[in-house]
Amino acid sequence: MAQVLMPKATAVWLIEKTSLTFEQVADFVGMHPLEVQAIADGEVAQGIVGFDPVASGQLTREEIERCEKDSNRRLVMSRPSIELPKPKGKGARYTPVSKRNDRPDGIVWLLRHYPQLSDTQLGKLLGTTKDTIQKVRDKTHWNSANIKPRDPVILGLCTQQQLNNALLEAGEKPGAIPPPAPVPDGEEEA
């Protein structure tokens, strides 16, 4: 649900200009009814100028009148006349330079232990590209001779929770697959 702009100032205006109950005002602005009552008593929000939700397009006069007639009804925020742009994602996840050479090791480990993960999921999980994943898979990566499968959680490329969420998205129960036993350094996995 959308948030009310300037909730205290909106509450001040609704208390001064309407006959809505404290519960109705509190529900609309996201405050506790006792806080709204304190605003009405002048104990809180002294000096705050009321903000007109009708002028800002958050409410309609008809909606206020409808709720003034029936104290059991709740105010419903108006839909904006202009569609707001959707917020952009965070973008690519930053991996420190010291861990960038560990990515191919994490990719090989995930491909070996969790082949059900898609390239897109692997890319999101490790912060890498599909091209890099494909090169590691085909062994055409520039450093393929030195790539050793290592757990990306231990390497710090992702968290166990992120890995579990990716497995859930892939339709696998994380608890159903036992985690692979750690391989001592110097030995190669089968």
Side-chain angles (χ1 to χ4, degrees), residues 34-86:
L34 292 176
E35 191 175 3
V36 173
Q37 184 176 357
I39 290 172
D41 293 341
E43 298 169 7
V44 177
Q46 293 175 349
I48 293 182
V49 178
F51 179 71
D52 186 356
V54 176
S56 66
Q58 296 179 75
L59 277 177
T60 61
R61 180 47 71 189
E62 293 79 27
E63 180 68 16
I64 293 173
E65 290 170 1
R66 179 184 69 88
C67 291
E68 284 176 329
K69 292 176 186 171
D70 185 2
S71 63
N72 293 326
R73 293 185 180 241
R74 297 289 175 236
L75 291 167
V76 177
M77 191 176 290
S78 300
R79 289 198 170 268
S81 58
I82 300 171
E83 285 296 320
L84 299 174
K86 294 184 179 170

mmCIF file of all heavy atoms in Angstrom, residues 34-86:
data_model
loop_
_atom_site.group_PDB
_atom_site.id
_atom_site.type_symbol
_atom_site.label_atom_id
_atom_site.label_comp_id
_atom_site.label_asym_id
_atom_site.label_seq_id
_atom_site.Cartn_x
_atom_site.Cartn_y
_atom_site.Cartn_z
ATOM 1 N N LEU A 34 -4.182 6.971 19.749
ATOM 2 C CA LEU A 34 -3.859 7.861 20.869
ATOM 3 C C LEU A 34 -2.968 9.020 20.421
ATOM 4 O O LEU A 34 -3.064 10.128 20.949
ATOM 5 C CB LEU A 34 -3.175 7.074 21.991
ATOM 6 C CG LEU A 34 -4.063 6.056 22.710
ATOM 7 C CD1 LEU A 34 -3.256 5.274 23.733
ATOM 8 C CD2 LEU A 34 -5.249 6.741 23.360
ATOM 9 N N GLU A 35 -2.104 8.768 19.448
ATOM 10 C CA GLU A 35 -1.267 9.845 18.915
ATOM 11 C C GLU A 35 -2.118 10.861 18.173
ATOM 12 O O GLU A 35 -1.900 12.072 18.278
ATOM 13 C CB GLU A 35 -0.188 9.260 18.003
ATOM 14 C CG GLU A 35 0.878 10.249 17.616
ATOM 15 C CD GLU A 35 2.009 9.622 16.816
ATOM 16 O OE1 GLU A 35 1.956 8.430 16.497
ATOM 17 O OE2 GLU A 35 2.961 10.369 16.511
ATOM 18 N N VAL A 36 -3.122 10.375 17.431
ATOM 19 C CA VAL A 36 -4.031 11.273 16.724
ATOM 20 C C VAL A 36 -4.846 12.073 17.735
ATOM 21 O O VAL A 36 -5.071 13.281 17.565
ATOM 22 C CB VAL A 36 -4.949 10.470 15.769
ATOM 23 C CG1 VAL A 36 -6.011 11.364 15.152
ATOM 24 C CG2 VAL A 36 -4.125 9.809 14.679
ATOM 25 N N GLN A 37 -5.264 11.423 18.813
ATOM 26 C CA GLN A 37 -6.009 12.126 19.851
ATOM 27 C C GLN A 37 -5.127 13.199 20.507
ATOM 28 O O GLN A 37 -5.589 14.298 20.801
ATOM 29 C CB GLN A 37 -6.512 11.153 20.908
ATOM 30 C CG GLN A 37 -7.378 11.797 21.964
ATOM 31 C CD GLN A 37 -7.944 10.794 22.942
ATOM 32 O OE1 GLN A 37 -7.737 9.591 22.809
ATOM 33 N NE2 GLN A 37 -8.671 11.293 23.927
ATOM 34 N N ALA A 38 -3.847 12.893 20.703
ATOM 35 C CA ALA A 38 -2.924 13.876 21.271
ATOM 36 C C ALA A 38 -2.740 15.057 20.329
ATOM 37 O O ALA A 38 -2.599 16.205 20.780
ATOM 38 C CB ALA A 38 -1.583 13.217 21.577
ATOM 39 N N ILE A 39 -2.758 14.815 19.030
ATOM 40 C CA ILE A 39 -2.680 15.909 18.050
ATOM 41 C C ILE A 39 -3.925 16.781 18.176
ATOM 42 O O ILE A 39 -3.845 18.013 18.181
ATOM 43 C CB ILE A 39 -2.528 15.362 16.615
ATOM 44 C CG1 ILE A 39 -1.149 14.733 16.434
ATOM 45 C CG2 ILE A 39 -2.734 16.470 15.579
ATOM 46 C CD1 ILE A 39 -0.969 13.996 15.116
ATOM 47 N N ALA A 40 -5.096 16.149 18.314
ATOM 48 C CA ALA A 40 -6.352 16.894 18.441
ATOM 49 C C ALA A 40 -6.380 17.703 19.736
ATOM 50 O O ALA A 40 -6.918 18.815 19.777
ATOM 51 C CB ALA A 40 -7.540 15.938 18.390
ATOM 52 N N ASP A 41 -5.785 17.170 20.804
ATOM 53 C CA ASP A 41 -5.762 17.870 22.095
ATOM 54 C C ASP A 41 -4.704 18.973 22.123
ATOM 55 O O ASP A 41 -4.647 19.739 23.078
ATOM 56 C CB ASP A 41 -5.491 16.881 23.233
ATOM 57 C CG ASP A 41 -6.641 15.900 23.422
ATOM 58 O OD1 ASP A 41 -7.763 16.191 22.949
ATOM 59 O OD2 ASP A 41 -6.417 14.834 24.039
ATOM 60 N N GLY A 42 -3.841 19.037 21.111
ATOM 61 C CA GLY A 42 -2.811 20.054 21.051
ATOM 62 C C GLY A 42 -1.549 19.693 21.812
ATOM 63 O O GLY A 42 -0.677 20.531 22.025
ATOM 64 N N GLU A 43 -1.426 18.445 22.246
ATOM 65 C CA GLU A 43 -0.246 18.013 22.991
ATOM 66 C C GLU A 43 0.921 17.660 22.063
ATOM 67 O O GLU A 43 2.073 17.741 22.463
ATOM 68 C CB GLU A 43 -0.589 16.800 23.861
ATOM 69 C CG GLU A 43 -1.653 17.081 24.904
ATOM 70 C CD GLU A 43 -2.166 15.826 25.582
ATOM 71 O OE1 GLU A 43 -1.602 14.744 25.328
ATOM 72 O OE2 GLU A 43 -3.134 15.930 26.341
ATOM 73 N N VAL A 44 0.592 17.236 20.860
ATOM 74 C CA VAL A 44 1.597 16.809 19.889
ATOM 75 C C VAL A 44 1.384 17.619 18.614
ATOM 76 O O VAL A 44 0.280 18.049 18.312
ATOM 77 C CB VAL A 44 1.448 15.292 19.586
ATOM 78 C CG1 VAL A 44 2.437 14.845 18.533
ATOM 79 C CG2 VAL A 44 1.597 14.478 20.842
ATOM 80 N N ALA A 45 2.450 17.795 17.863
ATOM 81 C CA ALA A 45 2.405 18.430 16.539
ATOM 82 C C ALA A 45 1.996 19.890 16.614
ATOM 83 O O ALA A 45 1.329 20.403 15.725
ATOM 84 C CB ALA A 45 1.482 17.652 15.597
ATOM 85 N N GLN A 46 2.405 20.563 17.668
ATOM 86 C CA GLN A 46 2.123 21.989 17.767
ATOM 87 C C GLN A 46 2.958 22.724 16.736
ATOM 88 O O GLN A 46 4.142 22.458 16.567
ATOM 89 C CB GLN A 46 2.467 22.501 19.162
ATOM 90 C CG GLN A 46 1.578 21.935 20.225
ATOM 91 C CD GLN A 46 2.004 22.367 21.614
ATOM 92 O OE1 GLN A 46 3.075 22.918 21.789
ATOM 93 N NE2 GLN A 46 1.149 22.110 22.585
ATOM 94 N N GLY A 47 2.343 23.605 16.024
ATOM 95 C CA GLY A 47 3.056 24.386 15.026
ATOM 96 C C GLY A 47 3.143 23.712 13.668
ATOM 97 O O GLY A 47 3.684 24.298 12.729
ATOM 98 N N ILE A 48 2.642 22.493 13.535
ATOM 99 C CA ILE A 48 2.654 21.824 12.222
ATOM 100 C C ILE A 48 1.456 22.313 11.426
ATOM 101 O O ILE A 48 0.311 22.268 11.896
ATOM 102 C CB ILE A 48 2.616 20.291 12.369
ATOM 103 C CG1 ILE A 48 3.911 19.793 12.993
ATOM 104 C CG2 ILE A 48 2.387 19.624 11.012
ATOM 105 C CD1 ILE A 48 4.006 18.288 13.140
ATOM 106 N N VAL A 49 1.730 22.793 10.242
ATOM 107 C CA VAL A 49 0.674 23.266 9.359
ATOM 108 C C VAL A 49 0.042 22.057 8.686
ATOM 109 O O VAL A 49 0.735 21.155 8.207
ATOM 110 C CB VAL A 49 1.245 24.234 8.298
ATOM 111 C CG1 VAL A 49 0.166 24.690 7.341
ATOM 112 C CG2 VAL A 49 1.913 25.414 8.971
ATOM 113 N N GLY A 50 -1.290 22.030 8.646
ATOM 114 C CA GLY A 50 -1.997 20.906 8.036
ATOM 115 C C GLY A 50 -1.696 20.785 6.550
ATOM 116 O O GLY A 50 -1.516 21.779 5.847
ATOM 117 N N PHE A 51 -1.633 19.545 6.085
ATOM 118 C CA PHE A 51 -1.368 19.264 4.676
ATOM 119 C C PHE A 51 -2.638 18.682 4.069
ATOM 120 O O PHE A 51 -3.147 17.656 4.523
ATOM 121 C CB PHE A 51 -0.213 18.270 4.556
ATOM 122 C CG PHE A 51 0.132 17.894 3.143
ATOM 123 C CD1 PHE A 51 0.737 18.797 2.301
ATOM 124 C CD2 PHE A 51 -0.157 16.628 2.659
ATOM 125 C CE1 PHE A 51 1.071 18.449 0.996
ATOM 126 C CE2 PHE A 51 0.161 16.269 1.366
ATOM 127 C CZ PHE A 51 0.769 17.185 0.533
ATOM 128 N N ASP A 52 -3.168 19.327 3.051
ATOM 129 C CA ASP A 52 -4.441 18.959 2.444
ATOM 130 C C ASP A 52 -4.277 17.734 1.541
ATOM 131 O O ASP A 52 -3.683 17.825 0.467
ATOM 132 C CB ASP A 52 -4.968 20.138 1.628
ATOM 133 C CG ASP A 52 -6.364 19.906 1.080
ATOM 134 O OD1 ASP A 52 -6.905 18.794 1.259
ATOM 135 O OD2 ASP A 52 -6.914 20.844 0.469
ATOM 136 N N PRO A 53 -4.812 16.562 1.957
ATOM 137 C CA PRO A 53 -4.679 15.373 1.112
ATOM 138 C C PRO A 53 -5.568 15.414 -0.121
ATOM 139 O O PRO A 53 -5.320 14.701 -1.086
ATOM 140 C CB PRO A 53 -5.077 14.234 2.050
ATOM 141 C CG PRO A 53 -5.966 14.853 3.051
ATOM 142 C CD PRO A 53 -5.496 16.267 3.212
ATOM 143 N N VAL A 54 -6.593 16.270 -0.115
ATOM 144 C CA VAL A 54 -7.464 16.389 -1.290
ATOM 145 C C VAL A 54 -6.726 17.158 -2.379
ATOM 146 O O VAL A 54 -6.738 16.755 -3.551
ATOM 147 C CB VAL A 54 -8.800 17.079 -0.916
ATOM 148 C CG1 VAL A 54 -9.658 17.301 -2.147
ATOM 149 C CG2 VAL A 54 -9.544 16.257 0.123
ATOM 150 N N ALA A 55 -6.053 18.232 -1.996
ATOM 151 C CA ALA A 55 -5.309 19.038 -2.979
ATOM 152 C C ALA A 55 -4.128 18.263 -3.553
ATOM 153 O O ALA A 55 -3.765 18.453 -4.713
ATOM 154 C CB ALA A 55 -4.816 20.325 -2.327
ATOM 155 N N SER A 56 -3.552 17.391 -2.736
ATOM 156 C CA SER A 56 -2.407 16.621 -3.228
ATOM 157 C C SER A 56 -2.829 15.378 -4.015
ATOM 158 O O SER A 56 -1.982 14.679 -4.555
ATOM 159 C CB SER A 56 -1.517 16.206 -2.062
ATOM 160 O OG SER A 56 -2.201 15.302 -1.227
ATOM 161 N N GLY A 57 -4.125 15.084 -4.051
ATOM 162 C CA GLY A 57 -4.617 13.951 -4.826
ATOM 163 C C GLY A 57 -4.570 12.623 -4.085
ATOM 164 O O GLY A 57 -4.781 11.570 -4.681
ATOM 165 N N GLN A 58 -4.328 12.650 -2.770
ATOM 166 C CA GLN A 58 -4.292 11.410 -1.997
ATOM 167 C C GLN A 58 -5.699 10.940 -1.628
ATOM 168 O O GLN A 58 -5.919 9.747 -1.458
ATOM 169 C CB GLN A 58 -3.471 11.604 -0.722
ATOM 170 C CG GLN A 58 -2.021 11.907 -0.996
ATOM 171 C CD GLN A 58 -1.277 12.116 0.292
ATOM 172 O OE1 GLN A 58 -0.987 11.155 0.982
ATOM 173 N NE2 GLN A 58 -0.977 13.359 0.614
ATOM 174 N N LEU A 59 -6.614 11.885 -1.480
ATOM 175 C CA LEU A 59 -8.002 11.588 -1.127
ATOM 176 C C LEU A 59 -8.931 12.404 -2.012
ATOM 177 O O LEU A 59 -8.532 13.435 -2.558
ATOM 178 C CB LEU A 59 -8.283 11.983 0.334
ATOM 179 C CG LEU A 59 -7.909 11.044 1.441
ATOM 180 C CD1 LEU A 59 -8.207 11.669 2.789
ATOM 181 C CD2 LEU A 59 -8.625 9.725 1.322
ATOM 182 N N THR A 60 -10.176 11.961 -2.082
ATOM 183 C CA THR A 60 -11.194 12.754 -2.758
ATOM 184 C C THR A 60 -12.170 13.266 -1.701
ATOM 185 O O THR A 60 -12.304 12.675 -0.617
ATOM 186 C CB THR A 60 -11.968 11.916 -3.796
ATOM 187 O OG1 THR A 60 -12.618 10.835 -3.133
ATOM 188 C CG2 THR A 60 -11.047 11.382 -4.873
ATOM 189 N N ARG A 61 -12.831 14.359 -1.993
ATOM 190 C CA ARG A 61 -13.825 14.916 -1.075
ATOM 191 C C ARG A 61 -14.955 13.905 -0.863
ATOM 192 O O ARG A 61 -15.456 13.752 0.254
ATOM 193 C CB ARG A 61 -14.342 16.236 -1.663
ATOM 194 C CG ARG A 61 -15.358 16.976 -0.883
ATOM 195 C CD ARG A 61 -15.142 17.173 0.570
ATOM 196 N NE ARG A 61 -14.142 18.073 1.026
ATOM 197 C CZ ARG A 61 -13.797 18.147 2.307
ATOM 198 N NH1 ARG A 61 -14.362 17.359 3.191
ATOM 199 N NH2 ARG A 61 -12.900 18.983 2.713
ATOM 200 N N GLU A 62 -15.307 13.148 -1.898
ATOM 201 C CA GLU A 62 -16.373 12.144 -1.780
ATOM 202 C C GLU A 62 -15.984 11.031 -0.803
ATOM 203 O O GLU A 62 -16.811 10.545 -0.040
ATOM 204 C CB GLU A 62 -16.694 11.533 -3.157
ATOM 205 C CG GLU A 62 -17.317 12.494 -4.145
ATOM 206 C CD GLU A 62 -16.303 13.431 -4.792
ATOM 207 O OE1 GLU A 62 -15.103 13.072 -4.903
ATOM 208 O OE2 GLU A 62 -16.700 14.553 -5.163
ATOM 209 N N GLU A 63 -14.709 10.637 -0.833
ATOM 210 C CA GLU A 63 -14.227 9.590 0.071
ATOM 211 C C GLU A 63 -14.311 10.062 1.522
ATOM 212 O O GLU A 63 -14.707 9.308 2.411
ATOM 213 C CB GLU A 63 -12.786 9.210 -0.285
ATOM 214 C CG GLU A 63 -12.186 8.136 0.579
ATOM 215 C CD GLU A 63 -12.807 6.760 0.390
ATOM 216 O OE1 GLU A 63 -13.509 6.535 -0.606
ATOM 217 O OE2 GLU A 63 -12.582 5.908 1.262
ATOM 218 N N ILE A 64 -13.952 11.308 1.760
ATOM 219 C CA ILE A 64 -14.040 11.857 3.119
ATOM 220 C C ILE A 64 -15.491 11.908 3.575
ATOM 221 O O ILE A 64 -15.817 11.491 4.696
ATOM 222 C CB ILE A 64 -13.387 13.256 3.189
ATOM 223 C CG1 ILE A 64 -11.881 13.129 2.961
ATOM 224 C CG2 ILE A 64 -13.677 13.925 4.527
ATOM 225 C CD1 ILE A 64 -11.155 14.451 2.851
ATOM 226 N N GLU A 65 -16.379 12.371 2.714
ATOM 227 C CA GLU A 65 -17.811 12.458 3.068
ATOM 228 C C GLU A 65 -18.387 11.066 3.324
ATOM 229 O O GLU A 65 -19.199 10.878 4.241
ATOM 230 C CB GLU A 65 -18.585 13.168 1.960
ATOM 231 C CG GLU A 65 -18.258 14.643 1.863
ATOM 232 C CD GLU A 65 -18.844 15.304 0.624
ATOM 233 O OE1 GLU A 65 -19.534 14.618 -0.179
ATOM 234 O OE2 GLU A 65 -18.589 16.507 0.440
ATOM 235 N N ARG A 66 -17.995 10.089 2.542
ATOM 236 C CA ARG A 66 -18.479 8.719 2.722
ATOM 237 C C ARG A 66 -18.080 8.196 4.107
ATOM 238 O O ARG A 66 -18.877 7.561 4.793
ATOM 239 C CB ARG A 66 -17.898 7.825 1.628
ATOM 240 C CG ARG A 66 -18.306 6.366 1.696
ATOM 241 C CD ARG A 66 -17.609 5.547 0.620
ATOM 242 N NE ARG A 66 -16.180 5.413 0.852
ATOM 243 C CZ ARG A 66 -15.612 4.445 1.593
ATOM 244 N NH1 ARG A 66 -16.357 3.542 2.166
ATOM 245 N NH2 ARG A 66 -14.312 4.401 1.734
ATOM 246 N N CYS A 67 -16.852 8.469 4.512
ATOM 247 C CA CYS A 67 -16.371 7.976 5.803
ATOM 248 C C CYS A 67 -16.896 8.802 6.975
ATOM 249 O O CYS A 67 -16.997 8.289 8.090
ATOM 250 C CB CYS A 67 -14.849 7.946 5.813
ATOM 251 S SG CYS A 67 -14.183 6.690 4.710
ATOM 252 N N GLU A 68 -17.237 10.075 6.733
ATOM 253 C CA GLU A 68 -17.820 10.884 7.804
ATOM 254 C C GLU A 68 -19.219 10.389 8.168
ATOM 255 O O GLU A 68 -19.613 10.454 9.329
ATOM 256 C CB GLU A 68 -17.893 12.362 7.385
ATOM 257 C CG GLU A 68 -16.572 13.076 7.421
ATOM 258 C CD GLU A 68 -16.658 14.505 6.917
ATOM 259 O OE1 GLU A 68 -17.496 14.805 6.033
ATOM 260 O OE2 GLU A 68 -15.868 15.326 7.401
ATOM 261 N N LYS A 69 -19.934 9.848 7.183
ATOM 262 C CA LYS A 69 -21.297 9.345 7.429
ATOM 263 C C LYS A 69 -21.290 8.035 8.205
ATOM 264 O O LYS A 69 -22.217 7.759 8.968
ATOM 265 C CB LYS A 69 -22.032 9.146 6.100
ATOM 266 C CG LYS A 69 -22.334 10.431 5.381
ATOM 267 C CD LYS A 69 -22.978 10.156 4.041
ATOM 268 C CE LYS A 69 -23.148 11.465 3.271
ATOM 269 N NZ LYS A 69 -23.580 11.230 1.893
ATOM 270 N N ASP A 70 -20.285 7.203 8.007
ATOM 271 C CA ASP A 70 -20.211 5.893 8.668
ATOM 272 C C ASP A 70 -18.837 5.749 9.323
ATOM 273 O O ASP A 70 -17.824 5.636 8.645
ATOM 274 C CB ASP A 70 -20.425 4.781 7.630
ATOM 275 C CG ASP A 70 -20.475 3.403 8.251
ATOM 276 O OD1 ASP A 70 -20.384 3.288 9.491
ATOM 277 O OD2 ASP A 70 -20.589 2.421 7.486
ATOM 278 N N SER A 71 -18.811 5.735 10.651
ATOM 279 C CA SER A 71 -17.532 5.691 11.379
ATOM 280 C C SER A 71 -16.849 4.321 11.286
ATOM 281 O O SER A 71 -15.693 4.184 11.680
ATOM 282 C CB SER A 71 -17.746 6.062 12.846
ATOM 283 O OG SER A 71 -18.592 5.114 13.467
ATOM 284 N N ASN A 72 -17.529 3.308 10.769
ATOM 285 C CA ASN A 72 -16.920 1.985 10.614
ATOM 286 C C ASN A 72 -16.116 1.868 9.320
ATOM 287 O O ASN A 72 -15.348 0.929 9.160
ATOM 288 C CB ASN A 72 -17.985 0.887 10.649
ATOM 289 C CG ASN A 72 -18.621 0.773 12.011
ATOM 290 O OD1 ASN A 72 -17.959 0.981 13.031
ATOM 291 N ND2 ASN A 72 -19.913 0.475 12.043
ATOM 292 N N ARG A 73 -16.328 2.782 8.396
ATOM 293 C CA ARG A 73 -15.590 2.743 7.125
ATOM 294 C C ARG A 73 -14.192 3.317 7.295
ATOM 295 O O ARG A 73 -13.938 4.111 8.178
ATOM 296 C CB ARG A 73 -16.337 3.526 6.044
ATOM 297 C CG ARG A 73 -17.640 2.875 5.659
ATOM 298 C CD ARG A 73 -18.265 3.611 4.507
ATOM 299 N NE ARG A 73 -19.515 2.973 4.165
ATOM 300 C CZ ARG A 73 -19.750 2.431 2.991
ATOM 301 N NH1 ARG A 73 -18.843 2.470 2.047
ATOM 302 N NH2 ARG A 73 -20.900 1.863 2.750
ATOM 303 N N ARG A 74 -13.304 2.897 6.428
ATOM 304 C CA ARG A 74 -11.925 3.375 6.446
ATOM 305 C C ARG A 74 -11.636 4.148 5.170
ATOM 306 O O ARG A 74 -12.124 3.800 4.087
ATOM 307 C CB ARG A 74 -10.952 2.194 6.565
ATOM 308 C CG ARG A 74 -11.100 1.431 7.851
ATOM 309 C CD ARG A 74 -10.585 2.266 9.008
ATOM 310 N NE ARG A 74 -10.803 1.620 10.290
ATOM 311 C CZ ARG A 74 -11.460 2.167 11.302
ATOM 312 N NH1 ARG A 74 -11.979 3.355 11.185
ATOM 313 N NH2 ARG A 74 -11.588 1.538 12.438
ATOM 314 N N LEU A 75 -10.826 5.184 5.302
ATOM 315 C CA LEU A 75 -10.433 5.986 4.144
ATOM 316 C C LEU A 75 -9.576 5.148 3.203
ATOM 317 O O LEU A 75 -8.699 4.404 3.642
ATOM 318 C CB LEU A 75 -9.638 7.211 4.586
ATOM 319 C CG LEU A 75 -10.423 8.288 5.338
ATOM 320 C CD1 LEU A 75 -9.458 9.278 5.973
ATOM 321 C CD2 LEU A 75 -11.371 9.003 4.417
ATOM 322 N N VAL A 76 -9.829 5.289 1.912
ATOM 323 C CA VAL A 76 -9.054 4.576 0.900
ATOM 324 C C VAL A 76 -8.338 5.618 0.054
ATOM 325 O O VAL A 76 -8.959 6.551 -0.465
ATOM 326 C CB VAL A 76 -9.971 3.700 0.005
ATOM 327 C CG1 VAL A 76 -9.168 3.016 -1.079
ATOM 328 C CG2 VAL A 76 -10.733 2.708 0.846
ATOM 329 N N MET A 77 -7.034 5.450 -0.062
ATOM 330 C CA MET A 77 -6.225 6.400 -0.819
ATOM 331 C C MET A 77 -6.592 6.342 -2.298
ATOM 332 O O MET A 77 -6.829 5.267 -2.859
ATOM 333 C CB MET A 77 -4.742 6.089 -0.637
ATOM 334 C CG MET A 77 -3.852 7.173 -1.179
ATOM 335 S SD MET A 77 -2.109 6.890 -0.871
ATOM 336 C CE MET A 77 -2.050 7.123 0.876
ATOM 337 N N SER A 78 -6.628 7.523 -2.931
ATOM 338 C CA SER A 78 -6.932 7.604 -4.358
ATOM 339 C C SER A 78 -5.760 7.089 -5.176
ATOM 340 O O SER A 78 -4.609 7.192 -4.764
ATOM 341 C CB SER A 78 -7.200 9.055 -4.757
ATOM 342 O OG SER A 78 -8.281 9.561 -4.041
ATOM 343 N N ARG A 79 -6.087 6.575 -6.349
ATOM 344 C CA ARG A 79 -5.038 6.151 -7.263
ATOM 345 C C ARG A 79 -4.455 7.399 -7.920
ATOM 346 O O ARG A 79 -5.184 8.314 -8.276
ATOM 347 C CB ARG A 79 -5.593 5.237 -8.359
ATOM 348 C CG ARG A 79 -5.990 3.895 -7.841
ATOM 349 C CD ARG A 79 -6.082 2.932 -9.026
ATOM 350 N NE ARG A 79 -6.226 1.583 -8.566
ATOM 351 C CZ ARG A 79 -5.212 0.750 -8.349
ATOM 352 N NH1 ARG A 79 -3.984 1.150 -8.555
ATOM 353 N NH2 ARG A 79 -5.418 -0.465 -7.949
ATOM 354 N N PRO A 80 -3.135 7.438 -8.085
ATOM 355 C CA PRO A 80 -2.548 8.617 -8.730
ATOM 356 C C PRO A 80 -2.974 8.696 -10.195
ATOM 357 O O PRO A 80 -3.122 7.673 -10.874
ATOM 358 C CB PRO A 80 -1.037 8.387 -8.611
ATOM 359 C CG PRO A 80 -0.874 6.938 -8.329
ATOM 360 C CD PRO A 80 -2.144 6.465 -7.691
ATOM 361 N N SER A 81 -3.202 9.930 -10.658
ATOM 362 C CA SER A 81 -3.633 10.106 -12.049
ATOM 363 C C SER A 81 -2.480 9.843 -13.017
ATOM 364 O O SER A 81 -2.687 9.512 -14.171
ATOM 365 C CB SER A 81 -4.190 11.512 -12.256
ATOM 366 O OG SER A 81 -3.200 12.464 -11.918
ATOM 367 N N ILE A 82 -1.260 9.990 -12.515
ATOM 368 C CA ILE A 82 -0.072 9.734 -13.338
ATOM 369 C C ILE A 82 0.599 8.485 -12.791
ATOM 370 O O ILE A 82 0.844 8.371 -11.594
ATOM 371 C CB ILE A 82 0.914 10.922 -13.258
ATOM 372 C CG1 ILE A 82 0.235 12.189 -13.761
ATOM 373 C CG2 ILE A 82 2.171 10.620 -14.037
ATOM 374 C CD1 ILE A 82 1.054 13.430 -13.524
ATOM 375 N N GLU A 83 0.859 7.543 -13.668
ATOM 376 C CA GLU A 83 1.541 6.326 -13.242
ATOM 377 C C GLU A 83 2.985 6.655 -12.884
ATOM 378 O O GLU A 83 3.713 7.249 -13.686
ATOM 379 C CB GLU A 83 1.506 5.264 -14.339
ATOM 380 C CG GLU A 83 0.163 4.588 -14.493
ATOM 381 C CD GLU A 83 -0.236 3.805 -13.246
ATOM 382 O OE1 GLU A 83 0.622 3.153 -12.619
ATOM 383 O OE2 GLU A 83 -1.425 3.874 -12.894
ATOM 384 N N LEU A 84 3.378 6.300 -11.692
ATOM 385 C CA LEU A 84 4.745 6.536 -11.248
ATOM 386 C C LEU A 84 5.662 5.470 -11.833
ATOM 387 O O LEU A 84 5.269 4.313 -11.958
ATOM 388 C CB LEU A 84 4.809 6.498 -9.718
ATOM 389 C CG LEU A 84 3.959 7.536 -8.997
ATOM 390 C CD1 LEU A 84 3.996 7.283 -7.498
ATOM 391 C CD2 LEU A 84 4.462 8.924 -9.311
ATOM 392 N N PRO A 85 6.872 5.850 -12.190
ATOM 393 C CA PRO A 85 7.797 4.845 -12.723
ATOM 394 C C PRO A 85 8.174 3.846 -11.642
ATOM 395 O O PRO A 85 8.247 4.187 -10.459
ATOM 396 C CB PRO A 85 9.006 5.665 -13.165
ATOM 397 C CG PRO A 85 8.925 6.926 -12.383
ATOM 398 C CD PRO A 85 7.462 7.166 -12.124
ATOM 399 N N LYS A 86 8.383 2.613 -12.056
ATOM 400 C CA LYS A 86 8.767 1.583 -11.109
ATOM 401 C C LYS A 86 10.225 1.792 -10.717
ATOM 402 O O LYS A 86 11.056 2.145 -11.550
ATOM 403 C CB LYS A 86 8.575 0.198 -11.723
ATOM 404 C CG LYS A 86 7.121 -0.096 -11.974
ATOM 405 C CD LYS A 86 6.906 -1.485 -12.481
ATOM 406 C CE LYS A 86 5.410 -1.689 -12.680
ATOM 407 N NZ LYS A 86 5.096 -2.867 -13.366
#
